[in-house]
Amino acid sequence: QVQLVQSGAEVKKPGASVKVSCKASGYSFSDYYIHWVRQAPGQGLEYMGRINPNSGGTNYAQEFQGRVTMTRDTSISTAYMELSRLRSDDTAVYYCARDPGRTGFLEWLSHYMDVWGKGTTVTVSS
Amino acid sequence: EIVLTQSPGTLSVSPGERATLSCRASQSVSSSYLAWYQQKPGQAPRLLIYGASSRATGIPDRFSGSGSGTDFTLTISRLEPEDFAVYYCQQYGSSLPYTFGQGTKLEIK
C-alpha cells in the first residue's frame, strides 16, 4: 500500500542541524510532490515547503527560507528535510506528506496532502 | 498570507448527533484549494475533504464539506465514537505558504 516511512526521533542542541528522511513505497516516488509540515507540542500545523521529486525543485515558506533544505534521492525513493541553526522553538513533530497531483511534463499540484508519514519528533534542548 | 479561523475552538457533542465545524478565511479562497483533516492524539493528520466538498478515498459519507469564498463548513451527520478528534482546515492561495486553521477539538458530551 501507499506509505511514507519517516526516520526516528532526534535530539539536538541549539545551533545544530537535523535531517529527517521520508521513504516512499507503494507508488512511483518521482510522480508526486512531497510537502513538509510541522507541529509543535500542543499546537497546530505549520507548513514548511515542498519538493518536486522528479526535478528536485523546491519551494519554501518564507519563515523557513535560509534555514531549510529539501532534497531527494530517487534511487531509494526518499525525500529529506534538513533544518539548520536549530532553536528551542523548532521542537516539534515533522511530517512529510504526498500531494496527489503530478510532476513531469503536464505538472499540476492538488495543494492538499493525501498520504502522511507518521511523523518524526525533533527535540531541541541544551 | 491568508489566515484561517476555525470555530468553535472546542465542540461538545453526543454520539449519534450532528456536528458542524466552521472555517473562515481572511480573504477569498478558491474552493478547489480548501481541505479538511482529522487528527487523533499521537497520529498524523488524515485527509477527509478536498476541493471544499469532495470526500477523500475511504471517508464515510457522514462527513461532508461545503462553502465557498471565505466561509467553509465541515459537517459530521451522525457522530461515531471514533470521530472525536481535532479537525483542521487548510487552504492554498496564489502563493506559499499553505495555511491551516488553529483546529477545532470535537469532544464527547
Side-chain angles (χ1 to χ4, degrees):
Chain A
Q1 75 278 27
V2 175
Q3 59 178 347
L4 298 172
V5 177
Q6 297 187 226
S7 49
E10 303 264 12
V11 179
K12 296 292 183 180
K13 294 196 182 302
S17 297
V18 68
K19 191 171 185 177
V20 177
S21 68
C22 170
K23 183 174 176 60
S25 63
Y27 73 97
S28 177
F29 172 68
S30 294
D31 287 351
Y32 299 85
Y33 272 81
I34 293 288
H35 300 282
W36 290 89
V37 175
R38 76 177 185 180
Q39 186 171 38
Q43 303 301 308
L45 301 165
E46 181 177 28
Y47 186 76
M48 300 182 71
R50 67 192 180 210
I51 183 167
N52 177 336
N54 186 40
S55 67
T58 56
N59 301 97
Y60 304 139
Q62 180 79 16
E63 179 176 347
F64 299 98
Q65 289 273 5
R67 281 210 303 145
V68 71
T69 304
M70 296 176 188
T71 57
R72 93 292 190 216
D73 184 341
T74 56
S75 68
I76 56 171
S77 300
T78 299
Y80 301 93
M81 186 286 298
E82 183 170 21
L83 189 62
S84 63
R85 302 193 300 278
L86 290 168
R87 309 183 294 252
S88 58
D89 62 358
D90 291 319
T91 294
V93 178
Y94 289 76
Y95 294 102
C96 61
R98 189 185 78 163
D99 185 300
R102 290 294 188 278
T103 63
F105 179 66
L106 294 176
E107 176 177 310
W108 58 281
L109 277 153
S110 295
H111 300 296
Y112 59 87
M113 299 127 203
D114 69 338
V115 178
W116 292 66
K118 292 187 184 302
T120 296
T121 299
V122 176
T123 303
V124 183
S125 175
S126 55
Chain B
E1 177 176 317
I2 297 177
V3 176
L4 298 180
T5 302
Q6 292 186 239
S7 61
T10 302
L11 182 60
S12 300
V13 184
S14 300
E17 294 190 338
R18 179 188 197 94
T20 303
L21 288 67
S22 173
C23 175
R24 178 162 290 177
S26 59
Q27 55 187 281
S28 186
V29 172
S30 167
S31 295
S32 298
Y33 300 141
L34 193 288
W36 289 91
Y37 301 87
Q38 176 194 68
Q39 187 178 35
K40 297 180 180 179
Q43 296 185 16
R46 172 195 183 198
L47 176 68
L48 297 175
I49 300 288
Y50 63 93
S53 61
S54 297
R55 272 188 302 277
T57 302
I59 301 304
D61 61 7
R62 65 179 181 272
F63 290 90
S64 63
S66 63
S68 63
T70 60
D71 290 296
F72 297 88
T73 300
L74 174 69
T75 301
I76 312 170
S77 58
R78 299 169 305 281
L79 281 163
E80 298 286 344
E82 63 267 26
D83 298 336
F84 293 93
V86 178
Y87 291 83
Y88 294 96
C89 55
Q90 174 246 316
Q91 70 78 37
Y92 173 71
S94 58
S95 62
L96 292 187
Y98 300 174
T99 55
F100 294 86
Q102 82 280 17
T104 289
K105 181 179 181 180
L106 180 57
E107 64 177 26
I108 300 175
K109 187 174 181 180

